[in-house]
Amino acid sequence: MAFWDNLWQGRASDFDSGSAGSNSIELTRRRPSVSLTKQGAATGNLRVNLSWRMRSSDIEGRSRQSSSLLRHPFKLFKPDVVQAHTQGMVNVDLDLGCMYELTDGSKGVVQPLGGFLGDLNDPPYIKLSGDDRFGSGSGETIYANLDHWEEIKRLLFFVYIYDQTPAFDRTHAHVTLYPSSGPRIEIELDEDAPQARSCAVFSVQNVKGELIVRREVKFVYGFQAELDRLYGWGLHWGRGYKTKT
């Protein structure tokens, strides 16, 4: 259900927060931004969660293939080609990352690749909690300590496909922001970009003392370096790998 069906009453600032977790704000092309400051949510830990699942068309396709599996039972052991919240084998690994720039001019990235996990209580005040490689229900989570928001100039949260398999068109990726108070904020990665390998999902900027969350949802065909160039971050990127587990 679209956000404006429940919450929009003609003014961008009139959000009904309700009880914790009972309502949500969906950022779309028509309604791309929200002020955490006006929501009274510019303090505490902002939790950002990435989850993804198989699209319903793929699930329906699997149902139609059930009779084929009976005739060819060894197909059952063939890995899936998209990430899903199931116990089956998968081979698409979506990662959540965050580029940061602090008011003192320092810049960097928090992401699973390279083990840049960040720190919540010291600069950059951004912390990655684990790396979900299997599409579990909990997904991947990054925390931002907004008690230090006056030291944060801008953040860019992004998603990339680690194994280099373009599959955004077949995965239903979803990013949810959980502020310390007020409604959660929902962003769907629903643009048509089947060959993209990375996506800038949303930005957080300190605009004249106000903390603004803005939907980006910009897909690129490269990786973090291309997102860097798109947003003018100016970091130096190299080839990275994950440790095997």
Side-chain angles (χ1 to χ4, degrees):
M1 180 177 291
F3 160 63
W4 51 83
D5 289 339
N6 282 333
L7 302 178
W8 281 97
Q9 302 295 330
R11 289 181 295 173
S13 60
D14 287 346
F15 298 119
D16 179 12
S17 60
S19 60
S22 63
N23 294 301
S24 65
I25 297 170
E26 182 181 356
L27 296 187
T28 66
R29 285 184 176 183
R30 292 184 58 189
R31 309 290 187 182
S33 64
V34 61
S35 169
L36 293 180
T37 304
K38 289 181 179 179
Q39 290 292 103
T43 59
N45 290 334
L46 172 67
R47 178 163 63 97
V48 179
N49 179 259
L50 164 70
S51 62
W52 64 98
R53 58 181 172 79
M54 187 177 296
R55 289 189 181 276
S56 59
S57 59
D58 293 322
I59 296 174
E60 292 166 1
R62 284 189 158 195
S63 298
R64 290 193 296 268
Q65 293 174 2
S66 59
S67 61
S68 176
L69 288 176
L70 292 175
R71 295 192 302 269
H72 306 283
F74 289 104
K75 286 185 177 181
L76 184 63
F77 300 98
K78 185 178 181 180
D80 298 330
V81 296
V82 294
Q83 191 72 289
H85 289 171
T86 70
Q87 296 301 316
M89 297 176 63
V90 292
N91 65 1
V92 174
D93 182 9
L94 298 186
D95 280 346
L96 176 66
C98 177
M99 295 185 205
Y100 62 84
E101 181 178 2
L102 304 183
T103 54
D104 65 2
S106 58
K107 301 177 183 180
V109 65
V110 172
Q111 63 178 23
L113 199 60
F116 298 106
L117 303 182
D119 194 294
L120 196 60
N121 298 311
D122 291 301
Y125 310 113
I126 312 293
K127 176 71 174 179
L128 173 68
S129 177
D131 174 20
D132 174 22
R133 305 188 190 185
F134 304 103
S136 67
S138 60
E140 291 195 4
T141 300
I142 289 180
Y143 293 89
N145 187 347
L146 299 186
D147 287 337
H148 295 271
W149 69 270
E150 291 183 346
E151 300 175 56
I152 298 173
K153 181 177 180 179
R154 59 173 178 160
L155 306 174
L156 179 68
F157 286 82
F158 59 92
V159 174
Y160 61 95
I161 299 177
Y162 171 68
D163 67 0
Q164 303 186 30
T165 304
F168 274 115
D169 61 328
R170 298 190 62 196
T171 56
H172 187 90
H174 183 90
V175 173
T176 305
L177 289 70
Y178 297 90
S180 59
S181 63
R184 65 185 182 273
I185 301 169
E186 310 275 0
I187 304 174
E188 298 280 355
L189 277 62
D190 54 3
E191 304 291 337
D192 184 17
Q195 297 301 312
R197 291 184 171 91
S198 305
C199 178
V201 181
F202 72 94
S203 59
V204 181
Q205 286 191 287
N206 187 337
V207 182
K208 297 180 179 179
E210 189 173 353
L211 209 56
I212 303 294
V213 173
R214 175 173 292 277
R215 176 188 184 271
E216 302 292 338
V217 189
K218 293 181 180 178
F219 288 91
V220 299
Y221 298 97
F223 293 96
Q224 294 91 321
E226 190 169 341
L227 291 174
D228 185 311
R229 288 190 293 271
L230 183 63
Y231 286 88
W233 228 267
L235 300 178
H236 297 286
W237 299 91
R239 182 65 175 171
Y241 300 91
K242 292 184 181 180
T243 58
K244 294 183 179 181
T245 57

